[in-house]
Amino acid sequence: MQTETIIYIILSGIIALLVALFQYKYKVKQWSNRQMVLAALRFVSVFSLLVLLINPKFESQNVYLEKPNLVLAVDNSSSITYLKQDDNALNLLDKIISHPQVQEKFDVKVYAFGDQVSLTDSINFKQKQSNLDVVFKEFNQIYKQSISPTVLITDGNQTIGNDYVFSAQKYKQPIYSVVLGDSTVYSDLKIQQLNVNKYAYLKNKFPVEVILVYHGEAALNTNFIVQKGAAIMYSETVSFSKENNSKILNFYLPANQVGVQSYTAVLEPLENEKNKVNNQKEFAVEIIDQKTNVAIVSDILHPDLGALKKSIEANEQRQVNILNPKEYILKSNEFQLVILYQPNNNFNQVFDFLKNSNNNYFLISGTKTNWRYLNSLNLNVALEITNQTENYQAVLNTGFSNFIVEDLEFESFPPLKSSFGEPQFKVPFQTVLFKKVGNITTQESLLATLEHQGRKEAILFGENIWQWRAQSYLMDKSFNNFDNFIGKLVQYLASTERKTRLSLDYNSFYEGNSSVLIKAQFFNKNYEFDSKESLSIKVTDKISEESKTFPFILKNNYYLVDLSNLPASEYEFVVSATNEKISKSGTFKILDYNIEQQFLNANHYKLHQIANNSNGKSYFVANSNELISDLLNDERYKAIQKSHKNVVPLIDWKYLLILIVLSLSAEWFIRKYNGLI
């Protein structure tokens, strides 16, 4: 407390004492015990009020010990069970956690990781993917400012993500890797990778690329075949040796039948091969008999054109041509959808054709758009002409119901540039994205869809959508989410089907290691999204004829069910609404492939590498006692004494207010009782 404050408190005490004595001694003839009590109460009241006005601050200091963290990261993927190391992992984890000296020295945190990492106390080894890269990225954020030695209990086999050796280099904590699995190298043949397009076209041939790998000493010959049921579609004899231990095969298969066609690639195993699971791989191709042709019509050059073309063609069922207005008119009958990019007076014939043919279109406006011309065409939308521009960010309308839109964190996307003004719609419309200016979200449409007299339209009021695609990649390390968003918009516009009250979004087939998600939307009789309906799906295995029923859960503006736990097989399903007699059916296939079963042993080389690079150490499960001893004896891991200073102003002390109230009340009561008031 400062000297100045102490002087003020002393002066307050003197003033309070003088006030009390003046009131109860100077004015009375006889000094009594009653007068003394009243003077004391008056002193307390006045002094307390004056001290509150001064409001001195008091400091309190707490000293405590902060133990270092011990981070235990356990591989929760199914490869641990496949390598028969699940009991070893659980026993080691329990041994470290229950060790009394470890508990005394460290603050123990247990994490489990598969495709994601999470703080947990439950390990079941059922995750379908291993992503060690995300482990170090997450830990680097959480334990950046602390002492946190990290014990990594894993087989070191990663199935997704960037190489974890590089992300581990950025993690500035000692890593103690515990190797789960056999480090012995066995002779092994495997299909390392198989690349094939998702779609192919009827009566064509589609390419297949296969990478085959051999681990062993002796030279050998074996056969590689591709089967469709019992029929052999392709075969080739391949030779391997210690030096020539990989082969890349490229070949074509015929597409003779529409629908999902399943194939099995088989590399004939060695006679005594230990792991034969990785010698075969199922794959599927959906054969389609037509392609959706999309025209992007523009009279200017802009990066948006290339971004839209790449996004739309990410779905191989679609093909995009970028044309000027004159070129489009010559080929207009070849396209199922047209995108009008920043139209101007040169689009006269294009709009005449669209009006006469009643074709669907997607209009994108920007700073080069001639809205004076567009307003003269009497379209279903008009824009006030101000000759000013504005930057608009996007906010998702969670009530949009024409098709399922997931939030891509649109608010974090760069703003689009457009002409300033509020759009005026002449027909019913739905807003997909609202405009946001600064921190204010408006009710104006940035992206909207319209349906009128059998024609579907979409209008985007802004250019530079290429920046959205780039931002999506920076956030997700993939273009997929943004491309799916554009793909759904194109699918909605290109479709001539009438709107139904129950719509579904699912794939024809799923890889065995991917999530099996089915989305649905249900609408009431006015075609408004109904969030109160209860949807369920009945799934029947075509082979075993076993049926299971699962409920959908509501998520924003759609319903979702996760069927990832279903085994590989062919399924048919029926989605039903509980309250109304509306249902929809379909089929899908889950391919038999478990990437976690493709490994023979642990990747102890990488685990040794990341441990040595971080000033840690690598161990096998049998050396768990040595691990615990090293952790307990390492002088780097000591508790740190820290202090916390807390400055509290007197005005926050509620008991002083109570004291003032009590002293004033007691003084008033005594004066009232004795007839002094």
Side-chain angles (χ1 to χ4, degrees), residues 153-324:
I153 305 173
T154 178
D155 57 13
N157 294 317
Q158 179 172 313
T159 58
I160 57 172
N162 298 323
D163 192 336
Y164 63 88
V165 172
F166 299 104
S167 52
Q169 290 175 352
K170 299 178 182 178
Y171 183 53
K172 304 305 180 183
Q173 302 288 350
I175 300 171
Y176 295 85
S177 57
V178 180
V179 182
L180 296 176
D182 193 351
S183 62
T184 306
V185 177
Y186 298 93
S187 295
D188 182 51
L189 284 168
K190 69 175 180 179
I191 300 175
Q192 179 74 25
Q193 189 170 333
L194 191 149
N195 301 318
V196 65
N197 294 332
K198 190 174 182 179
Y199 302 98
Y201 298 98
L202 186 65
K203 298 180 180 178
N204 285 338
K205 290 186 176 183
F206 59 90
V208 182
E209 181 182 65
V210 184
I211 301 175
L212 309 175
V213 175
Y214 167 63
H215 295 290
E217 300 290 332
L220 58 88
N221 294 325
T222 188
N223 293 320
F224 172 79
I225 60 174
V226 176
Q227 296 174 301
K228 182 181 178 184
I232 296 177
M233 308 298 295
Y234 177 84
S235 67
E236 184 175 341
T237 301
V238 289
S239 302
F240 294 101
S241 64
K242 182 179 179 180
E243 294 77 19
N244 187 18
N245 58 3
S246 65
K247 294 285 185 182
I248 299 177
L249 304 182
N250 292 283
F251 53 91
Y252 290 84
L253 296 178
N256 297 325
Q257 188 176 355
V258 173
V260 178
Q261 306 300 317
S262 299
Y263 303 86
T264 304
V266 179
L267 182 61
E268 290 184 1
L270 304 171
E271 185 176 349
N272 298 317
E273 192 167 342
K274 185 176 181 181
N275 183 9
K276 297 182 181 181
V277 174
N278 59 14
N279 287 70
Q280 69 176 40
K281 178 176 173 58
E282 271 197 79
F283 65 97
V285 177
E286 186 172 357
I287 310 299
I288 55 180
D289 60 357
Q290 62 180 354
K291 184 179 251 189
T292 301
N293 289 320
V294 179
I296 300 178
V297 183
S298 175
D299 207 30
I300 63 173
L301 295 177
H302 198 282
D304 283 353
L305 304 177
L308 288 168
K309 178 178 172 67
K310 287 183 178 296
S311 289
I312 297 170
E313 290 186 342
N315 185 328
E316 296 169 17
Q317 297 183 72
R318 303 187 180 110
Q319 182 174 329
V320 176
N321 288 305
I322 300 175
L323 308 169
N324 62 41

Side-chain angles (χ1 to χ4, degrees), residues 346-600:
N346 295 329
F347 280 66
N348 260 328
Q349 288 183 296
V350 176
F351 280 107
D352 288 342
F353 171 78
L354 293 174
K355 183 178 180 180
N356 295 331
S357 62
N358 205 38
N359 284 0
N360 302 340
Y361 66 84
F362 179 18
L363 192 155
I364 301 176
S365 69
T367 57
K368 299 290 193 304
T369 305
N370 189 341
W371 272 105
R372 192 179 303 277
Y373 161 71
L374 293 180
N375 290 342
S376 69
L377 295 177
N378 196 27
L379 302 177
N380 292 326
V381 63
L383 187 73
E384 179 186 359
I385 300 172
T386 61
N387 296 323
Q388 295 179 347
T389 60
E390 183 62 85
N391 292 323
Y392 297 109
Q393 286 187 284
V395 177
L396 178 66
N397 176 19
T398 55
F400 179 76
S401 60
N402 280 342
F403 54 89
I404 296 172
V405 180
E406 297 182 35
D407 193 355
L408 308 184
E409 300 182 32
F410 289 102
E411 292 185 58
S412 64
F413 282 10
L416 301 184
K417 195 168 187 178
S418 180
S419 300
F420 179 78
E422 182 178 356
Q424 302 294 329
F425 294 93
K426 304 174 185 178
V427 298
F429 68 97
Q430 280 203 47
T431 298
V432 185
L433 301 172
F434 289 114
K435 290 179 180 178
K436 182 178 181 181
V437 182
N439 294 322
I440 300 174
T441 300
T442 71
Q443 293 303 305
E444 296 180 18
S445 297
L446 180 63
L447 174 62
T449 60
L450 305 84
E451 291 189 31
H452 182 63
Q453 295 181 349
R455 181 163 71 185
K456 296 177 182 177
E457 302 173 20
I459 302 177
L460 176 66
F461 298 93
E463 63 180 64
N464 294 330
I465 198 172
W466 69 270
Q467 296 180 0
W468 284 14
R469 191 169 189 261
Q471 181 65 29
S472 177
Y473 181 84
L474 291 175
M475 293 165 56
D476 305 323
K477 305 304 178 187
S478 169
F479 294 114
N480 290 343
N481 288 337
F482 179 80
D483 291 348
N484 288 340
F485 167 68
I486 295 296
K488 287 180 180 180
L489 180 60
V490 170
Q491 182 179 2
Y492 162 76
L493 293 171
S495 173
T496 57
E497 294 182 4
R498 295 184 60 187
K499 192 170 184 178
T500 61
R501 293 184 59 190
L502 178 61
S503 62
L504 304 178
D505 181 10
Y506 65 98
N507 294 331
S508 301
F509 63 91
Y510 298 87
E511 296 284 350
N513 58 326
S514 64
S515 297
V516 182
L517 303 176
I518 295 180
K519 301 170 186 175
Q521 283 186 314
F522 185 81
F523 305 95
N524 59 25
K525 292 181 180 179
N526 294 326
Y527 288 97
E528 299 169 332
F529 179 71
D530 188 350
S531 61
K532 297 180 180 179
E533 184 56 74
S534 178
L535 299 182
S536 63
I537 182 170
K538 182 179 180 182
V539 183
T540 303
D541 190 322
K542 287 185 177 181
I543 299 174
S544 66
E545 299 184 352
E546 180 183 359
S547 296
K548 293 181 180 179
T549 301
F550 303 91
F552 280 81
I553 61 171
L554 181 64
K555 187 175 181 181
N556 295 328
N557 63 336
Y558 63 91
Y559 294 87
L560 176 70
V561 64
D562 188 347
L563 305 177
S564 301
N565 290 327
L566 291 177
S569 187
E570 293 185 51
Y571 294 92
E572 57 186 12
F573 66 87
V574 178
V575 176
S576 306
T578 303
N579 300 326
E580 300 195 40
K581 295 181 179 180
I582 297 177
S583 62
K584 210 163 190 179
S585 61
T587 61
F588 65 87
K589 183 172 184 176
I590 302 177
L591 302 181
D592 186 12
Y593 179 68
N594 188 338
I595 194 170
E596 290 290 328
Q597 296 181 1
Q598 304 302 304
F599 305 102
L600 270 172

